[in-house]
Amino acid sequence: MSKDYTPKPEDRFTFGLWTVGNVGRDPFGDPVRTPMSPVAIVHLLAEEGAYGVNFHDNDLVPIDATAAERDRIVASFKKSLQETGLVAPMATTNLFADPVFRDGAFTSNDARVRAYALQKSMRAMDLGAEVGARTYVFWGGREGTETDVSKSPLDALKRFREALDFLCEYNLDQGYGMRFALEAKPNEPRADLYLPTTGAMLAFIETLEHPEIVGVNPEVAHEHMAGLNFMHAVAQAWEAGKLFHIDLNDQNMARFDQDLRFGCQTIKPAFFLTKFLESVNYENPKHFDAHAYRTSDAEDVKAFVRACMRTYLILKEKAKAFDHDPHIQGLLARTRENDDSMNDYLGAYTRDKAEKLKDLALNREELAAHGQPYEELDQLTIELLLGVR
Amino acid sequence: MSKDYTPKPEDRFTFGLWTVGNVGRDPFGDPVRTPMSPVAIVHLLAEEGAYGVNFHDNDLVPIDATAAERDRIVASFKKSLQETGLVAPMATTNLFADPVFRDGAFTSNDARVRAYALQKSMRAMDLGAEVGARTYVFWGGREGTETDVSKSPLDALKRFREALDFLCEYNLDQGYGMRFALEAKPNEPRADLYLPTTGAMLAFIETLEHPEIVGVNPEVAHEHMAGLNFMHAVAQAWEAGKLFHIDLNDQNMARFDQDLRFGCQTIKPAFFLTKFLESVNYENPKHFDAHAYRTSDAEDVKAFVRACMRTYLILKEKAKAFDHDPHIQGLLARTRENDDSMNDYLGAYTRDKAEKLKDLALNREELAAHGQPYEELDQLTIELLLGVR
Amino acid sequence: MSKDYTPKPEDRFTFGLWTVGNVGRDPFGDPVRTPMSPVAIVHLLAEEGAYGVNFHDNDLVPIDATAAERDRIVASFKKSLQETGLVAPMATTNLFADPVFRDGAFTSNDARVRAYALQKSMRAMDLGAEVGARTYVFWGGREGTETDVSKSPLDALKRFREALDFLCEYNLDQGYGMRFALEAKPNEPRADLYLPTTGAMLAFIETLEHPEIVGVNPEVAHEHMAGLNFMHAVAQAWEAGKLFHIDLNDQNMARFDQDLRFGCQTIKPAFFLTKFLESVNYENPKHFDAHAYRTSDAEDVKAFVRACMRTYLILKEKAKAFDHDPHIQGLLARTRENDDSMNDYLGAYTRDKAEKLKDLALNREELAAHGQPYEELDQLTIELLLGVR
Amino acid sequence: MSKDYTPKPEDRFTFGLWTVGNVGRDPFGDPVRTPMSPVAIVHLLAEEGAYGVNFHDNDLVPIDATAAERDRIVASFKKSLQETGLVAPMATTNLFADPVFRDGAFTSNDARVRAYALQKSMRAMDLGAEVGARTYVFWGGREGTETDVSKSPLDALKRFREALDFLCEYNLDQGYGMRFALEAKPNEPRADLYLPTTGAMLAFIETLEHPEIVGVNPEVAHEHMAGLNFMHAVAQAWEAGKLFHIDLNDQNMARFDQDLRFGCQTIKPAFFLTKFLESVNYENPKHFDAHAYRTSDAEDVKAFVRACMRTYLILKEKAKAFDHDPHIQGLLARTRENDDSMNDYLGAYTRDKAEKLKDLALNREELAAHGQPYEELDQLTIELLLGVR
């Protein structure tokens, strides 16, 4: 095949500094790769065709940097963006790595830690604003428990809400114009994280003072860890107007957080996700929150970067082929052939409609006998994915 | 010990007809127990000390009953309630067992099935109202997919919302005064169910036309199937004012839906759940949505019924002991000793507060060095549970 | 593409009567499809190109059939095999559906049930032998517990071993010449099944009196339910000379037993499995232990049958392409470039070798710096699977 | 209650240097506790009542220590053992932390790494022998893959076997008299580890040249990660005479490796495990392979150490109470009341027995009607655990 899978700026493909720069440390092993400077990462991403780069405050500026060091680092980072044409559309706060957050950041039982987390977030938002970030992500990696004796979830929810309300106001007050995107995860590094799914986050957002500027940042791996259908979560977020950002990667179900290359493990779900995003014209960043295997050297990290984007583009093309496949579309039409048959009874409630519907003679056995060609449709999809149709 | 663990009406312990009446069929095996009549179940529950009995329409009235049969059945059921003093606080519709729902009820691709599901629900609500049900549960056991080629989740969400909005109006129009409680489940019997967690349901409720009368019915087993902390989900629902009902049972994590006896598998989570419900004075029904092992005979089913209630009461007593244990309470106080130290900086946003907080000198290393006695607290909890303190 | 994916007898594709004949009952729903007679299933399979058909005793002969009924049924079944050219290479006993097995078959606490299970198995082996089965499968669907208070696993292992030793002898004594294949499953329908993985079964076989005629029947879904890599289990069985049979289907990880169409969910694992089986020239039956979705009608069941075989053949072709892809093979060679560099130190132990190896200077840092191109290799595999290379 | 739960040497409670010394690093966070010297850990364990201490080579001797440093460290460690009376019954090799093992140790694709792993293991065995270790554990934390394109599991099994055969010979040749204990884990830090369950390890051992000196070291958390019943795995190992060592901790099912305090999460399984170990008079070490929460300070680490042992002793006492509870024992006897009724038909095969059994009239319906009081028995167990009977 001669298709062109070269990434373009309009694909809005972004990577975090921490993804490409991942040094391969894990719970049982030491780093295997040399740290890369933010500037080097920006250049690597530009060469491979990415649109943007995202960062936690401390990916860019070490937690104990002086003001002068900070300014020098930020200046060189901004320069690298200018040189390469990359943007920095998303920023976030590292509220999990430092020992100070061992019992949570916004939900810590120590009010001084909660204050520090707020302070660190405001400074990190300043940093994000300075480099032009439009989306600000919150992942509460330490907002959870190992044992529920340690704190009440009611206290935790209250504290988390208070912090987000505070920071929304800060954002508005500073005129940063950023939108917040909340990222859920069921567990790891803590035994149970609060608001563990995208659904829980969406419900929580409705309890905030400024829900209009707060949405979600769903991540493939995080929903898979709970055994959930990621695309369904994304659809709920999209329908609610809350899909402000997305973390594309992969995960082989309930186990440690793998952050695998997009589409490398669960091909079919990756296809339906891509198809969904394309069908609704999702235009916010597509962020690859993944990292190369610990076996990878620097060259293989580049292969990883290219592959994330390339797989998305391949799947995007297949989504288009799906939409134009007459056999598939014909079968799909057949599955909805009775769509308009009940228009007098469905839709908005009226008393008259309800009464008519209650009296309507519907032949249950006849309706039950009507099967759907979903095995055939699914197999056609598999064959389209495998490139044999 | 001489404690009294006899259930009382104010405990609001309820069982479904389908739980006590479960005949022990499973995917690989035929029924092992003789079906019990609804009336017989009511009497059994009354003898064992339950407060109420819940039902799906077809637990009580067979799907193909004539109007006369229906009325005779309902009359005898109501009579048994009067005789025993039991109430029927919750009713629900069986929208999953009949073949007609093989591709969903409210979300079926066949509009005629969607109409039938609405019709069946209205009739079942009439039935519920007739016996005095105050809560109406919706569990969408067939609202899902085996393959996402079959339908768009956006269509499914739209259809599900339309159905619930319709039935809310019907409820209001009929003056039934019932509250709806939506029950989430991640999978089984379908590969992926829509709105798979209590969190997702809470978010969905906010998109309805009458969110004020719609809450949730979280079930232990269903959240455990997704590896989630059930009590955290319950807390989020409670805080949102949406804990209209609860399904108590047990489940050993991600696997088939076990519907085990409450507290028989995950003792510690059952304790924290009970402690939570007692601490917030939860007063809606506590429904045991469980069934006896397939090995049980009729006598063992009774032992199962007694045990569900008894375990709750034992755990309730332990929750009280926890609250009055000076050592535990002393340690807990210590974990929050700095609670008021940051009152000038936390709470509602003001520009002044933000500026002061950004400038505040906080010693990160010092704060980080501060550990918490959670192992000790957790062990004290375990020992309290084990009855050795 | 114009490839021919038509199944041939030498592909050894088989289906169980219970797979194609599945009526779509599940824990929450009644049957949706009309039962098919064994003869009708044989003809359907023959038309779709299968090689053979497998059965539980009661798939063919109802548990309460008279001797005359049995003989008539068997005769018509054998006639259908002759007419179609299909073989019946594998048979097995249904030791799980009848209520008598509610507490286990070979491991029941009731010695009379254990005796009945043995009796039923001997009769079922007679039936298997009569139709020419060469492999006899044992799946202990009820050999487990809901609570470990019910029996000791030591008793269970002892009972299970005694039964298998007995039946091995029966097989030898009758001159049936069958090989036994043990099938593991972690849970469902019971909470925990004994010998829950293929690995556990392989270890158990070594404790039998006739290990030489006992091997395993690994099933994709069953290992996936435990989150395990199925191909690794198959490889261990193969290496031990114990891969007597295989159950091909699919399963989306830890949840209820889905028995999905082969290759429909976990495409990449299905590819590596196919590649493995082809690379070792596995020649025993390839049994599709799956069933069509409950939404399927009779036509869609046929599509399901065709698709199982077709997907295997597509993946088999891709395995061949993988083996002949110069880029992939070049990279693979590179990953093993030092394979012979340590021949003086590795291999069978000698004291001299050990001493030399202990003294050998190996530069740890240098070796550690050596990465492997596994991201690139994996992506090439993904692209080969997607048909874009 | 006034029971004494003070650990005694005959309890054989051991801890690893890495467990008590865990500094609280995790995939998302930096260390929170100060490293403790091996000598300090030995003294802490002695004060808390442990029997022994275990170690990886590099827990004791840094990987880049000089020979002189090594000898000094070993001397001081041995001195601390003498001073405290602790023993060091188990040693093991760290074959996972150093970057050199990024693609495996014994199964690496780089023969030089395989040689280095052997070399390191021999040296570590020398170290273990020097301090008196009788059991040598092998946990292959890097023996796995992220993608099956990287290597064939057949190669991996061959390499792993070759290494173990080599080291068995080394052990014999040196006269160390140690027994090997293989520890399985399904995943983490790699996506899939080879020989992922205790069952798989038991099968693998039978393929070694010296199976008589090789057994297993099952770990609670590792089997729970695969959703398996740990006690069942332990029973299979015990029955095979292979339970050389055991790792006691806890894990809340399929998720990252939690290494929680023994009995803190899954109380009932911990009870049945303890009951099993006591019932068979297991006398090898009981190793707590756990670590304190990351929130713990030094005092809380001590609480954690005490609690691991204390919980075991509490559960041991409950196991004794279970064995002496007349009601429970009466019910258990009832569950096996027909145990001897089939002695003429069960047991070792004879042709005559088989024929008689095939002809025996067994009333299936009657047997099927016989239920078992497992709900009642399970509830009695729960109440015994909760200290209310």
Side-chain angles (χ1 to χ4, degrees), chain C residues 199-211:
Chain C
M201 280 295 176
L202 289 170
F204 175 73
I205 289 169
E206 295 308 308
T207 72
L208 296 177
E209 281 179 20
H210 292 284

Side-chain angles (χ1 to χ4, degrees), chain C residues 48 57 85 111 117 120 166 176 184 211 223 266 294 318 340 364:
Chain C
E48 302 301 350
D57 50 352
K120 190 173 196 288
F166 191 103
Y176 286 159
E223 303 287 322
T266 63
R294 194 163 172 269
K318 287 185 183 284
D340 294 323
R364 196 177 83 247

Side-chain angles (χ1 to χ4, degrees), chain C residues 102-103 119 123 126 147-148 155 161 170 173 232 239 336 349 351 357-358 360 368 374 378, chain D residues 102-103 109 119 123 126 147-148 155 161 170 173 232 239 336 349 351 357-358 360 368 374 378:
Chain C
R102 59 206 286 195
D103 187 34
Q119 181 190 71
R123 291 177 182 171
D126 297 347
T147 166
D148 282 319
D155 289 335
R161 180 181 301 108
Y170 181 73
D173 194 20
H232 290 191
E239 208 214 21
R336 299 184 58 158
Y349 179 87
R351 185 178 299 185
L357 178 53
K358 280 181 74 176
L360 183 66
Y374 294 156
D378 189 70
Chain D
R102 59 207 286 196
D103 186 35
N109 267 344
Q119 182 189 71
R123 290 177 182 171
D126 298 347
T147 167
D148 283 320
D155 289 335
R161 180 180 300 110
Y170 180 73
D173 194 21
H232 289 191
E239 207 213 23
R336 299 184 58 157
Y349 179 87
R351 186 179 297 187
L357 178 54
K358 280 181 75 174
L360 182 67
Y374 294 156
D378 190 70

Side-chain angles (χ1 to χ4, degrees), chain A residues 343-385:
Chain A
N343 287 355
D344 291 350
Y345 305 96
L346 298 174
Y349 178 87
T350 66
R351 184 179 299 187
D352 177 60
K353 202 185 273 185
E355 282 170 6
K356 273 165 50 190
L357 178 54
K358 280 181 74 175
D359 292 338
L360 183 65
L362 288 161
N363 188 325
R364 196 178 83 247
E365 283 83 0
E366 201 180 294
L367 293 179
H370 181 67
Q372 292 280 25
Y374 294 156
E375 287 281 0
E376 185 176 356
L377 268 167
D378 189 69
Q379 178 66 10
L380 291 169
T381 308
I382 293 290
E383 296 190 15
L384 188 145
L385 283 175

Side-chain angles (χ1 to χ4, degrees), chain B residues 220-227 249-261 264-266, chain C residues 145-146 148 186-187 190-192 254, chain D residues 224 226-230 251-254 265-266 268-269:
Chain B
V220 180
H222 295 181
E223 302 288 322
H224 282 198
M225 288 168 75
N249 58 11
D250 214 338
Q251 166 82 14
N252 196 9
M253 294 298 138
R255 53 180 61 187
F256 72 97
D257 185 13
Q258 299 187 283
D259 283 343
L260 295 166
R261 196 176 81 245
C264 80
Q265 187 68 37
T266 64
Chain C
T145 53
E146 279 73 43
D148 282 319
N187 63 72
R190 304 206 72 174
D192 291 300
Chain D
H224 281 198
L228 303 177
N229 185 311
F230 181 66
Q251 166 82 14
N252 196 10
M253 294 298 136
Q265 187 68 37
T266 64
K268 186 173 156 187

Side-chain angles (χ1 to χ4, degrees), chain B residues 309-341:
Chain B
M309 298 185 284
R310 189 168 158 85
T311 296
Y312 187 93
L313 293 171
I314 296 168
L315 294 177
K316 177 181 171 180
E317 184 201 35
K318 287 186 183 283
K320 202 183 291 178
F322 182 98
D323 289 343
H324 292 85
D325 186 308
H327 189 173
I328 289 174
Q329 294 304 316
L331 279 173
L332 279 177
R334 215 182 84 198
T335 68
R336 298 183 59 157
E337 66 194 352
N338 298 298
D339 229 24
D340 294 323
S341 63

Side-chain angles (χ1 to χ4, degrees), chain C residues 63-64 98-100 102-103 109-116 118-119 122-123 126 145-151 153-155 157-159 161-162 165-166 169-170 173 186-187 190 192-197 199-200 202-204 206 225-229 231-232 235-236 238-239 268 272 276 280 322 332 335-336 338-342 345-351 353-354 357-362 364 367-372 374 377-378 381, chain D residues 63-64 98-100 102-103 109-116 118-119 122-123 126 145-151 153-155 157-159 161-162 165-166 169-170 173 186-187 190 192-197 199-200 202-204 206 225-229 231-232 235-236 238-239 268 272 276 280 322 332 335-336 338-342 345-351 353-354 357-362 364 367-372 374 377-378 381:
Chain C
I63 197 167
D64 46 12
D98 194 86
V100 74
R102 59 206 286 195
D103 187 34
N109 266 345
D110 188 331
R112 300 168 303 175
V113 174
R114 300 202 293 274
Y116 175 71
L118 263 190
Q119 181 190 71
M122 285 190 287
R123 291 177 182 171
D126 297 347
T145 53
E146 279 73 43
T147 166
D148 282 319
V149 76
S150 66
K151 74 190 68 160
L154 295 178
D155 289 335
L157 289 172
K158 186 172 164 293
R159 292 171 186 169
R161 180 181 301 108
E162 213 170 84
D165 282 342
F166 191 103
E169 293 277 2
Y170 181 73
D173 194 20
N187 63 72
R190 304 206 72 174
D192 291 300
L193 297 174
Y194 297 118
L195 302 168
T197 61
L202 289 170
F204 175 73
E206 295 308 308
M225 287 167 75
L228 303 178
N229 184 312
M231 191 267 278
H232 290 191
Q236 188 180 10
W238 174 262
E239 208 214 21
K268 187 172 153 186
F272 280 119
F276 180 85
V280 298
F322 182 97
L332 279 176
T335 68
R336 299 184 58 158
N338 298 298
D339 228 24
D340 294 323
S341 63
M342 290 286 119
Y345 304 97
L346 299 174
Y349 179 87
T350 67
R351 185 178 299 185
K353 203 186 272 184
L357 178 53
K358 280 181 74 176
D359 291 338
L360 183 66
L362 288 162
R364 196 177 83 247
L367 293 178
H370 182 68
Q372 292 280 25
Y374 294 156
L377 268 166
D378 189 70
T381 308
Chain D
I63 196 166
D64 47 10
D98 194 85
V100 73
R102 59 207 286 196
D103 186 35
N109 267 344
D110 188 331
R112 300 168 303 175
V113 174
R114 301 201 292 274
Y116 175 72
L118 265 190
Q119 182 189 71
M122 286 189 286
R123 290 177 182 171
D126 298 347
T145 53
E146 279 73 44
T147 167
D148 283 320
V149 75
S150 65
K151 74 190 66 161
L154 296 178
D155 289 335
L157 289 172
K158 186 172 164 293
R159 292 171 186 168
R161 180 180 300 110
E162 213 170 84
D165 283 341
F166 191 104
E169 293 276 2
Y170 180 73
D173 194 21
N187 63 72
R190 304 205 73 174
D192 291 300
L193 296 175
Y194 297 118
L195 301 167
T197 61
L202 289 169
F204 175 73
E206 296 307 307
M225 287 166 76
L228 303 177
N229 185 311
M231 191 267 278
H232 289 191
Q236 187 180 11
W238 173 263
E239 207 213 23
K268 186 173 156 187
F272 281 119
F276 179 86
V280 298
F322 181 98
L332 279 176
T335 68
R336 299 184 58 157
N338 298 298
D339 229 23
D340 293 324
S341 62
M342 290 286 120
Y345 304 97
L346 298 174
Y349 179 87
T350 66
R351 186 179 297 187
K353 202 185 275 184
L357 178 54
K358 280 181 75 174
D359 291 337
L360 182 67
L362 288 161
R364 195 178 84 246
L367 294 178
H370 181 68
Q372 292 280 26
Y374 294 156
L377 268 167
D378 190 70
T381 308

